[in-house]
Amino acid sequence: MCDQPDGIVFMQNGSSSTPKISSISRRFSYALIGVVTLVLIAFATVAILLDITMSESELETRLDDAIHLAQMSLATPLWNLDKETVDDFVKALLLDKSIVYVKVLWALPRQSDFSAESQIISERKRQKYEEKDLTFFENSSKFIVKSADIHFEEGKVGKVLIVMSREIIENELFRNISVIINLAILITAGITVTTIRITRRYISRPLSELQISATSIAQGDLDTFIDTSSNDEIGSLAKDLNVMRESIKHLFAELRESKDKLEGYSRTLEEKVEVRTRELARSVEELQALGQISQAVSSSLDLQKVLATIVAHAVELSGTESGAIYEFDETSKQFKLRATHRMSEELTRAIREGRINLGETALGRAGEKRQAVQVPDIREEPAYPLREIIERDGFRALLAVPLLREDRLIGGLVVRRRAPGQFPKETVDLLQNFATQSALAIQNARLFREIEKKGREVEIASKHKSEFLANMSHELRTPLNAILGYTELILDKIYGNVPEQIQEVLERVEKNGRHLLSLINDVLDISKIEAGQLSLSLNDYSMKEVVQTVVTAVESLAAEKNLQLQVRVAPEVDRGKGDEQRISQVLLNLVGNAIKFTDEGKVEVEAITSKDTFVISVADTGPGLSEVDQQKIFEEFHQVDASSTRKKGGTGLGLSIAKKIVEMHGGRIWVESTLGKGSTFSFTLPVRVERQRKQR
């Protein structure tokens, strides 16, 4: 066994992990035997099928010949009623071992010694056919039955029926199959023996010897014998294995020579790796700290907690003993203490009570210069503010880093150390990263405070707007109702006859006034909803009457546009509990919109009950809605045609109000539509509404 360099491991003799090796020669023999066997089986199958086909064809030919012979030989005897000749001919036919049954019929009797019925001339070849009739042969697959008419001088004189047995053919076929199978077995056995002997001698044995040599090499014996005398493929493989063995020996020699060099380089590398590992560990700690700070900044709005986390990590990773974060007030130009870490109460109280102006102390100078400022030894700065307190706490050196956000001064970060001396550049760079995170946290807190302030202002403004709209709508509606009332009185001629021209004007005034009143009512409703002042009056009502009332109110509008107004109310639709007036308002809005936006066709109103719920649908044949409009149709002030030249009027509040009323009842409203094919607006309501749902 040759020496092995360190790190090279070979398999040991007798190892239990050696895998089981399959014999190539055995697999080759099995494959060859299988292929030959399949070929022989295919050949035997084809031969048997051909033999069956040829035998069947030969039998058919012999039967046709017998029929043809009977037609030629029996014509004259049948005409002459020569029974003896016919019997002799039948006996002659039965000499053929395949023919087992013959029957000859006369067409007409010619002599008095024959009966008027057809006569059978038959001869059975074996005892087993004595009691069989023609039906037995015709129904059995073991026989072939054929018949033919016999003519004499263009006249039918009789008929012959011949039955031929397949039994002889089957016996011959069985013998042939036996011969073919035995022959195939003999051939397969011969090929098997020959193949096994050849593969063992020329494949299995050389490969086994080569495998033993390869195993010895794998176990470390590089001087093992390899037989390279053969000139075939296995011999070529043995030669290659021998070359590989020599190459491995040479490689091991080179490895032994470089072993010492590698060991020396390894020791140097380990030292470098150890130094680099310490640096990487520190970098990982810094990255983890920055990651935790980033997570705290992005996930928490508690500024004090975020800043405390930042200053704690800054002190720990910078190798200092205490630290603090300050926020810069742009109005007073002063720094205010926001978070501390490991600072005495005396120093903290002194900093809070004092003032740190821009340009004063290390922090003020850092904010003014927009760069880090450090004090290597506080004792060398006799005029430094709070020097005595800082010294009493044992601190000698400090580093101040400004907190900047897009060159805007946000605050400052200060760390203190008990040992005097300059802070290394790595520490300064690290604290600048922490300063960036601190600036981001302070900026986020400021923005959040501004957003909260603006949100409160917007909420107050929105409430004032809703109250103002509600009050104004009420104030506008009162005089408008008075105008409409007086207009109706004049049109009804309460104050006397009205000229025709003035009457037309008053009618237009009334029409536009009612339109204006509808708009004011919509604004008043939406204002009440937004102000939380709209409430439902829950009472028992009849859904049938609600539908009928709404339909009656809009019949004239549909008639003006020649539209069909169809109503279908299911029999089970009955009384419910809810705000009847508001439900009527919702249905009137949907039916009115359907009539307004439909120029031809029809409008259908349907009401059904499903699981204690009213389902009301209004379908039209109007222009339909796009998918975008379907998503926004229930929003306030939204109109499909929002241009100043739109053909249809309205404020865009009706569907929004309807949606809120339905939701206050605990139902929902939706639309299904296709452009050019009309729309169907549907809403559901609980049959019994026991309490008003909270407005949203």
Side-chain angles (χ1 to χ4, degrees), residues 276-306:
R276 185 59 178 165
T277 300
R278 288 196 296 269
E279 294 176 353
L280 289 175
R282 180 175 177 83
S283 298
V284 169
E285 291 179 0
E286 295 175 0
L287 290 174
Q288 289 177 344
L290 290 173
Q292 294 174 1
I293 292 171
S294 298
Q295 183 177 5
V297 170
S298 60
S299 62
S300 176
L301 295 175
D302 187 350
L303 179 60
Q304 192 63 32
K305 178 181 177 181
V306 174

PDB file of all heavy atoms in Angstrom, residues 276-306:
ATOM      1  N   ARG A 276     -10.888  38.963   9.410  1.00  0.00           N
ATOM      2  CA  ARG A 276     -12.028  39.340   8.569  1.00  0.00           C
ATOM      3  C   ARG A 276     -13.350  38.924   9.197  1.00  0.00           C
ATOM      4  O   ARG A 276     -14.355  39.626   9.081  1.00  0.00           O
ATOM      5  CB  ARG A 276     -11.882  38.670   7.185  1.00  0.00           C
ATOM      6  CG  ARG A 276     -12.938  39.076   6.187  1.00  0.00           C
ATOM      7  CD  ARG A 276     -12.934  40.559   5.959  1.00  0.00           C
ATOM      8  NE  ARG A 276     -13.920  40.943   4.958  1.00  0.00           N
ATOM      9  CZ  ARG A 276     -14.336  42.178   4.772  1.00  0.00           C
ATOM     10  NH1 ARG A 276     -13.835  43.168   5.513  1.00  0.00           N
ATOM     11  NH2 ARG A 276     -15.226  42.453   3.838  1.00  0.00           N
ATOM     12  N   THR A 277     -13.332  37.784   9.908  1.00  0.00           N
ATOM     13  CA  THR A 277     -14.552  37.318  10.580  1.00  0.00           C
ATOM     14  C   THR A 277     -14.988  38.302  11.647  1.00  0.00           C
ATOM     15  O   THR A 277     -16.181  38.581  11.806  1.00  0.00           O
ATOM     16  CB  THR A 277     -14.314  35.933  11.195  1.00  0.00           C
ATOM     17  OG1 THR A 277     -13.954  35.013  10.155  1.00  0.00           O
ATOM     18  CG2 THR A 277     -15.566  35.428  11.901  1.00  0.00           C
ATOM     19  N   ARG A 278     -13.994  38.817  12.407  1.00  0.00           N
ATOM     20  CA  ARG A 278     -14.347  39.802  13.428  1.00  0.00           C
ATOM     21  C   ARG A 278     -14.943  41.054  12.780  1.00  0.00           C
ATOM     22  O   ARG A 278     -15.914  41.622  13.282  1.00  0.00           O
ATOM     23  CB  ARG A 278     -13.100  40.160  14.248  1.00  0.00           C
ATOM     24  CG  ARG A 278     -12.647  39.055  15.193  1.00  0.00           C
ATOM     25  CD  ARG A 278     -11.674  39.606  16.235  1.00  0.00           C
ATOM     26  NE  ARG A 278     -10.442  40.087  15.617  1.00  0.00           N
ATOM     27  CZ  ARG A 278      -9.352  39.360  15.415  1.00  0.00           C
ATOM     28  NH1 ARG A 278      -9.340  38.092  15.800  1.00  0.00           N
ATOM     29  NH2 ARG A 278      -8.270  39.895  14.854  1.00  0.00           N
ATOM     30  N   GLU A 279     -14.332  41.465  11.646  1.00  0.00           N
ATOM     31  CA  GLU A 279     -14.858  42.643  10.960  1.00  0.00           C
ATOM     32  C   GLU A 279     -16.277  42.383  10.440  1.00  0.00           C
ATOM     33  O   GLU A 279     -17.162  43.242  10.536  1.00  0.00           O
ATOM     34  CB  GLU A 279     -13.934  43.028   9.806  1.00  0.00           C
ATOM     35  CG  GLU A 279     -12.552  43.493  10.258  1.00  0.00           C
ATOM     36  CD  GLU A 279     -11.641  43.783   9.083  1.00  0.00           C
ATOM     37  OE1 GLU A 279     -12.049  43.488   7.940  1.00  0.00           O
ATOM     38  OE2 GLU A 279     -10.511  44.298   9.299  1.00  0.00           O
ATOM     39  N   LEU A 280     -16.455  41.192   9.856  1.00  0.00           N
ATOM     40  CA  LEU A 280     -17.789  40.858   9.333  1.00  0.00           C
ATOM     41  C   LEU A 280     -18.812  40.749  10.457  1.00  0.00           C
ATOM     42  O   LEU A 280     -19.973  41.146  10.296  1.00  0.00           O
ATOM     43  CB  LEU A 280     -17.731  39.534   8.560  1.00  0.00           C
ATOM     44  CG  LEU A 280     -17.009  39.581   7.207  1.00  0.00           C
ATOM     45  CD1 LEU A 280     -16.918  38.189   6.601  1.00  0.00           C
ATOM     46  CD2 LEU A 280     -17.748  40.522   6.247  1.00  0.00           C
ATOM     47  N   ALA A 281     -18.398  40.179  11.600  1.00  0.00           N
ATOM     48  CA  ALA A 281     -19.320  40.062  12.732  1.00  0.00           C
ATOM     49  C   ALA A 281     -19.776  41.443  13.181  1.00  0.00           C
ATOM     50  O   ALA A 281     -20.964  41.655  13.483  1.00  0.00           O
ATOM     51  CB  ALA A 281     -18.650  39.320  13.879  1.00  0.00           C
ATOM     52  N   ARG A 282     -18.806  42.375  13.211  1.00  0.00           N
ATOM     53  CA  ARG A 282     -19.181  43.736  13.593  1.00  0.00           C
ATOM     54  C   ARG A 282     -20.119  44.345  12.552  1.00  0.00           C
ATOM     55  O   ARG A 282     -21.102  45.011  12.897  1.00  0.00           O
ATOM     56  CB  ARG A 282     -17.920  44.591  13.745  1.00  0.00           C
ATOM     57  CG  ARG A 282     -18.219  46.028  14.141  1.00  0.00           C
ATOM     58  CD  ARG A 282     -16.944  46.799  14.389  1.00  0.00           C
ATOM     59  NE  ARG A 282     -17.235  48.190  14.701  1.00  0.00           N
ATOM     60  CZ  ARG A 282     -17.575  48.618  15.901  1.00  0.00           C
ATOM     61  NH1 ARG A 282     -17.678  47.751  16.899  1.00  0.00           N
ATOM     62  NH2 ARG A 282     -17.816  49.901  16.118  1.00  0.00           N
ATOM     63  N   SER A 283     -19.804  44.109  11.274  1.00  0.00           N
ATOM     64  CA  SER A 283     -20.671  44.641  10.214  1.00  0.00           C
ATOM     65  C   SER A 283     -22.071  44.045  10.303  1.00  0.00           C
ATOM     66  O   SER A 283     -23.071  44.742  10.108  1.00  0.00           O
ATOM     67  CB  SER A 283     -20.056  44.344   8.844  1.00  0.00           C
ATOM     68  OG  SER A 283     -18.793  44.972   8.704  1.00  0.00           O
ATOM     69  N   VAL A 284     -22.125  42.742  10.607  1.00  0.00           N
ATOM     70  CA  VAL A 284     -23.437  42.095  10.749  1.00  0.00           C
ATOM     71  C   VAL A 284     -24.214  42.708  11.897  1.00  0.00           C
ATOM     72  O   VAL A 284     -25.427  42.964  11.798  1.00  0.00           O
ATOM     73  CB  VAL A 284     -23.257  40.571  10.944  1.00  0.00           C
ATOM     74  CG1 VAL A 284     -24.575  39.928  11.354  1.00  0.00           C
ATOM     75  CG2 VAL A 284     -22.732  39.931   9.674  1.00  0.00           C
ATOM     76  N   GLU A 285     -23.530  42.942  13.011  1.00  0.00           N
ATOM     77  CA  GLU A 285     -24.202  43.577  14.148  1.00  0.00           C
ATOM     78  C   GLU A 285     -24.739  44.955  13.766  1.00  0.00           C
ATOM     79  O   GLU A 285     -25.865  45.328  14.127  1.00  0.00           O
ATOM     80  CB  GLU A 285     -23.233  43.697  15.325  1.00  0.00           C
ATOM     81  CG  GLU A 285     -22.856  42.367  15.960  1.00  0.00           C
ATOM     82  CD  GLU A 285     -21.876  42.549  17.104  1.00  0.00           C
ATOM     83  OE1 GLU A 285     -21.510  43.706  17.377  1.00  0.00           O
ATOM     84  OE2 GLU A 285     -21.489  41.542  17.735  1.00  0.00           O
ATOM     85  N   GLU A 286     -23.889  45.707  13.025  1.00  0.00           N
ATOM     86  CA  GLU A 286     -24.336  47.036  12.607  1.00  0.00           C
ATOM     87  C   GLU A 286     -25.537  46.940  11.675  1.00  0.00           C
ATOM     88  O   GLU A 286     -26.507  47.697  11.806  1.00  0.00           O
ATOM     89  CB  GLU A 286     -23.178  47.768  11.919  1.00  0.00           C
ATOM     90  CG  GLU A 286     -22.009  48.074  12.849  1.00  0.00           C
ATOM     91  CD  GLU A 286     -20.852  48.694  12.109  1.00  0.00           C
ATOM     92  OE1 GLU A 286     -20.971  48.885  10.875  1.00  0.00           O
ATOM     93  OE2 GLU A 286     -19.817  49.000  12.751  1.00  0.00           O
ATOM     94  N   LEU A 287     -25.461  45.999  10.716  1.00  0.00           N
ATOM     95  CA  LEU A 287     -26.584  45.844   9.783  1.00  0.00           C
ATOM     96  C   LEU A 287     -27.852  45.394  10.505  1.00  0.00           C
ATOM     97  O   LEU A 287     -28.957  45.846  10.189  1.00  0.00           O
ATOM     98  CB  LEU A 287     -26.215  44.834   8.689  1.00  0.00           C
ATOM     99  CG  LEU A 287     -25.148  45.301   7.687  1.00  0.00           C
ATOM    100  CD1 LEU A 287     -24.776  44.169   6.746  1.00  0.00           C
ATOM    101  CD2 LEU A 287     -25.652  46.505   6.891  1.00  0.00           C
ATOM    102  N   GLN A 288     -27.701  44.468  11.450  1.00  0.00           N
ATOM    103  CA  GLN A 288     -28.870  44.025  12.214  1.00  0.00           C
ATOM    104  C   GLN A 288     -29.469  45.182  12.999  1.00  0.00           C
ATOM    105  O   GLN A 288     -30.698  45.342  13.053  1.00  0.00           O
ATOM    106  CB  GLN A 288     -28.479  42.895  13.154  1.00  0.00           C
ATOM    107  CG  GLN A 288     -28.175  41.578  12.450  1.00  0.00           C
ATOM    108  CD  GLN A 288     -27.729  40.501  13.409  1.00  0.00           C
ATOM    109  OE1 GLN A 288     -27.355  40.777  14.555  1.00  0.00           O
ATOM    110  NE2 GLN A 288     -27.752  39.251  12.950  1.00  0.00           N
ATOM    111  N   ALA A 289     -28.582  45.991  13.606  1.00  0.00           N
ATOM    112  CA  ALA A 289     -29.076  47.142  14.363  1.00  0.00           C
ATOM    113  C   ALA A 289     -29.786  48.121  13.445  1.00  0.00           C
ATOM    114  O   ALA A 289     -30.872  48.630  13.758  1.00  0.00           O
ATOM    115  CB  ALA A 289     -27.913  47.829  15.088  1.00  0.00           C
ATOM    116  N   LEU A 290     -29.171  48.396  12.281  1.00  0.00           N
ATOM    117  CA  LEU A 290     -29.820  49.305  11.325  1.00  0.00           C
ATOM    118  C   LEU A 290     -31.147  48.728  10.831  1.00  0.00           C
ATOM    119  O   LEU A 290     -32.116  49.464  10.625  1.00  0.00           O
ATOM    120  CB  LEU A 290     -28.876  49.575  10.145  1.00  0.00           C
ATOM    121  CG  LEU A 290     -27.642  50.431  10.446  1.00  0.00           C
ATOM    122  CD1 LEU A 290     -26.721  50.482   9.246  1.00  0.00           C
ATOM    123  CD2 LEU A 290     -28.063  51.848  10.846  1.00  0.00           C
ATOM    124  N   GLY A 291     -31.166  47.381  10.632  1.00  0.00           N
ATOM    125  CA  GLY A 291     -32.423  46.756  10.209  1.00  0.00           C
ATOM    126  C   GLY A 291     -33.507  46.895  11.255  1.00  0.00           C
ATOM    127  O   GLY A 291     -34.663  47.194  10.941  1.00  0.00           O
ATOM    128  N   GLN A 292     -33.146  46.671  12.535  1.00  0.00           N
ATOM    129  CA  GLN A 292     -34.129  46.831  13.604  1.00  0.00           C
ATOM    130  C   GLN A 292     -34.612  48.273  13.697  1.00  0.00           C
ATOM    131  O   GLN A 292     -35.800  48.530  13.921  1.00  0.00           O
ATOM    132  CB  GLN A 292     -33.513  46.393  14.927  1.00  0.00           C
ATOM    133  CG  GLN A 292     -33.183  44.908  15.001  1.00  0.00           C
ATOM    134  CD  GLN A 292     -32.451  44.539  16.269  1.00  0.00           C
ATOM    135  OE1 GLN A 292     -32.196  45.378  17.124  1.00  0.00           O
ATOM    136  NE2 GLN A 292     -32.094  43.255  16.386  1.00  0.00           N
ATOM    137  N   ILE A 293     -33.670  49.214  13.497  1.00  0.00           N
ATOM    138  CA  ILE A 293     -34.063  50.623  13.550  1.00  0.00           C
ATOM    139  C   ILE A 293     -34.987  50.966  12.389  1.00  0.00           C
ATOM    140  O   ILE A 293     -36.002  51.651  12.558  1.00  0.00           O
ATOM    141  CB  ILE A 293     -32.802  51.516  13.543  1.00  0.00           C
ATOM    142  CG1 ILE A 293     -32.026  51.331  14.851  1.00  0.00           C
ATOM    143  CG2 ILE A 293     -33.168  52.969  13.345  1.00  0.00           C
ATOM    144  CD1 ILE A 293     -30.675  51.999  14.843  1.00  0.00           C
ATOM    145  N   SER A 294     -34.636  50.467  11.186  1.00  0.00           N
ATOM    146  CA  SER A 294     -35.485  50.729  10.019  1.00  0.00           C
ATOM    147  C   SER A 294     -36.879  50.158  10.227  1.00  0.00           C
ATOM    148  O   SER A 294     -37.892  50.794   9.883  1.00  0.00           O
ATOM    149  CB  SER A 294     -34.846  50.125   8.771  1.00  0.00           C
ATOM    150  OG  SER A 294     -33.588  50.714   8.511  1.00  0.00           O
ATOM    151  N   GLN A 295     -36.937  48.956  10.801  1.00  0.00           N
ATOM    152  CA  GLN A 295     -38.240  48.352  11.070  1.00  0.00           C
ATOM    153  C   GLN A 295     -39.023  49.171  12.090  1.00  0.00           C
ATOM    154  O   GLN A 295     -40.233  49.379  11.944  1.00  0.00           O
ATOM    155  CB  GLN A 295     -38.051  46.924  11.564  1.00  0.00           C
ATOM    156  CG  GLN A 295     -39.360  46.176  11.802  1.00  0.00           C
ATOM    157  CD  GLN A 295     -39.117  44.741  12.231  1.00  0.00           C
ATOM    158  OE1 GLN A 295     -37.973  44.331  12.435  1.00  0.00           O
ATOM    159  NE2 GLN A 295     -40.184  43.984  12.373  1.00  0.00           N
ATOM    160  N   ALA A 296     -38.338  49.636  13.121  1.00  0.00           N
ATOM    161  CA  ALA A 296     -39.009  50.450  14.133  1.00  0.00           C
ATOM    162  C   ALA A 296     -39.512  51.755  13.533  1.00  0.00           C
ATOM    163  O   ALA A 296     -40.623  52.210  13.829  1.00  0.00           O
ATOM    164  CB  ALA A 296     -38.054  50.728  15.294  1.00  0.00           C
ATOM    165  N   VAL A 297     -38.698  52.359  12.658  1.00  0.00           N
ATOM    166  CA  VAL A 297     -39.103  53.627  12.031  1.00  0.00           C
ATOM    167  C   VAL A 297     -40.329  53.436  11.153  1.00  0.00           C
ATOM    168  O   VAL A 297     -41.252  54.262  11.131  1.00  0.00           O
ATOM    169  CB  VAL A 297     -37.928  54.208  11.212  1.00  0.00           C
ATOM    170  CG1 VAL A 297     -38.394  55.383  10.365  1.00  0.00           C
ATOM    171  CG2 VAL A 297     -36.807  54.649  12.142  1.00  0.00           C
ATOM    172  N   SER A 298     -40.364  52.312  10.398  1.00  0.00           N
ATOM    173  CA  SER A 298     -41.452  52.104   9.443  1.00  0.00           C
ATOM    174  C   SER A 298     -42.700  51.511  10.072  1.00  0.00           C
ATOM    175  O   SER A 298     -43.781  51.605   9.487  1.00  0.00           O
ATOM    176  CB  SER A 298     -40.971  51.179   8.314  1.00  0.00           C
ATOM    177  OG  SER A 298     -40.557  49.925   8.837  1.00  0.00           O
ATOM    178  N   SER A 299     -42.574  50.876  11.233  1.00  0.00           N
ATOM    179  CA  SER A 299     -43.723  50.170  11.802  1.00  0.00           C
ATOM    180  C   SER A 299     -44.315  50.846  13.032  1.00  0.00           C
ATOM    181  O   SER A 299     -45.350  50.411  13.521  1.00  0.00           O
ATOM    182  CB  SER A 299     -43.318  48.738  12.175  1.00  0.00           C
ATOM    183  OG  SER A 299     -42.303  48.753  13.157  1.00  0.00           O
ATOM    184  N   SER A 300     -43.656  51.883  13.567  1.00  0.00           N
ATOM    185  CA  SER A 300     -44.153  52.500  14.795  1.00  0.00           C
ATOM    186  C   SER A 300     -44.254  54.009  14.616  1.00  0.00           C
ATOM    187  O   SER A 300     -43.390  54.635  14.001  1.00  0.00           O
ATOM    188  CB  SER A 300     -43.215  52.173  15.963  1.00  0.00           C
ATOM    189  OG  SER A 300     -43.638  52.849  17.135  1.00  0.00           O
ATOM    190  N   LEU A 301     -45.317  54.574  15.162  1.00  0.00           N
ATOM    191  CA  LEU A 301     -45.498  56.026  15.162  1.00  0.00           C
ATOM    192  C   LEU A 301     -45.119  56.637  16.521  1.00  0.00           C
ATOM    193  O   LEU A 301     -45.267  57.837  16.716  1.00  0.00           O
ATOM    194  CB  LEU A 301     -46.952  56.368  14.819  1.00  0.00           C
ATOM    195  CG  LEU A 301     -47.394  55.977  13.400  1.00  0.00           C
ATOM    196  CD1 LEU A 301     -48.876  56.258  13.216  1.00  0.00           C
ATOM    197  CD2 LEU A 301     -46.577  56.718  12.354  1.00  0.00           C
ATOM    198  N   ASP A 302     -44.649  55.790  17.443  1.00  0.00           N
ATOM    199  CA  ASP A 302     -44.214  56.257  18.759  1.00  0.00           C
ATOM    200  C   ASP A 302     -42.782  56.787  18.622  1.00  0.00           C
ATOM    201  O   ASP A 302     -41.804  56.030  18.661  1.00  0.00           O
ATOM    202  CB  ASP A 302     -44.276  55.114  19.766  1.00  0.00           C
ATOM    203  CG  ASP A 302     -43.998  55.598  21.188  1.00  0.00           C
ATOM    204  OD1 ASP A 302     -43.569  56.763  21.362  1.00  0.00           O
ATOM    205  OD2 ASP A 302     -44.201  54.799  22.124  1.00  0.00           O
ATOM    206  N   LEU A 303     -42.628  58.107  18.427  1.00  0.00           N
ATOM    207  CA  LEU A 303     -41.322  58.706  18.169  1.00  0.00           C
ATOM    208  C   LEU A 303     -40.369  58.465  19.330  1.00  0.00           C
ATOM    209  O   LEU A 303     -39.185  58.177  19.122  1.00  0.00           O
ATOM    210  CB  LEU A 303     -41.477  60.210  17.899  1.00  0.00           C
ATOM    211  CG  LEU A 303     -40.182  60.975  17.636  1.00  0.00           C
ATOM    212  CD1 LEU A 303     -39.469  60.429  16.421  1.00  0.00           C
ATOM    213  CD2 LEU A 303     -40.462  62.466  17.489  1.00  0.00           C
ATOM    214  N   GLN A 304     -40.861  58.584  20.568  1.00  0.00           N
ATOM    215  CA  GLN A 304     -39.986  58.417  21.729  1.00  0.00           C
ATOM    216  C   GLN A 304     -39.396  57.011  21.766  1.00  0.00           C
ATOM    217  O   GLN A 304     -38.205  56.822  22.035  1.00  0.00           O
ATOM    218  CB  GLN A 304     -40.778  58.685  23.020  1.00  0.00           C
ATOM    219  CG  GLN A 304     -39.922  58.826  24.261  1.00  0.00           C
ATOM    220  CD  GLN A 304     -38.983  60.028  24.180  1.00  0.00           C
ATOM    221  OE1 GLN A 304     -39.320  61.042  23.573  1.00  0.00           O
ATOM    222  NE2 GLN A 304     -37.801  59.892  24.765  1.00  0.00           N
ATOM    223  N   LYS A 305     -40.216  56.011  21.446  1.00  0.00           N
ATOM    224  CA  LYS A 305     -39.745  54.627  21.438  1.00  0.00           C
ATOM    225  C   LYS A 305     -38.719  54.398  20.337  1.00  0.00           C
ATOM    226  O   LYS A 305     -37.687  53.742  20.550  1.00  0.00           O
ATOM    227  CB  LYS A 305     -40.942  53.687  21.253  1.00  0.00           C
ATOM    228  CG  LYS A 305     -40.572  52.220  21.191  1.00  0.00           C
ATOM    229  CD  LYS A 305     -41.814  51.367  20.980  1.00  0.00           C
ATOM    230  CE  LYS A 305     -41.440  49.889  20.853  1.00  0.00           C
ATOM    231  NZ  LYS A 305     -42.638  49.045  20.612  1.00  0.00           N
ATOM    232  N   VAL A 306     -38.969  54.959  19.154  1.00  0.00           N
ATOM    233  CA  VAL A 306     -38.050  54.787  18.031  1.00  0.00           C
ATOM    234  C   VAL A 306     -36.710  55.441  18.336  1.00  0.00           C
ATOM    235  O   VAL A 306     -35.635  54.856  18.122  1.00  0.00           O
ATOM    236  CB  VAL A 306     -38.667  55.369  16.739  1.00  0.00           C
ATOM    237  CG1 VAL A 306     -37.653  55.338  15.600  1.00  0.00           C
ATOM    238  CG2 VAL A 306     -39.910  54.586  16.343  1.00  0.00           C
TER     239      VAL A 306
END
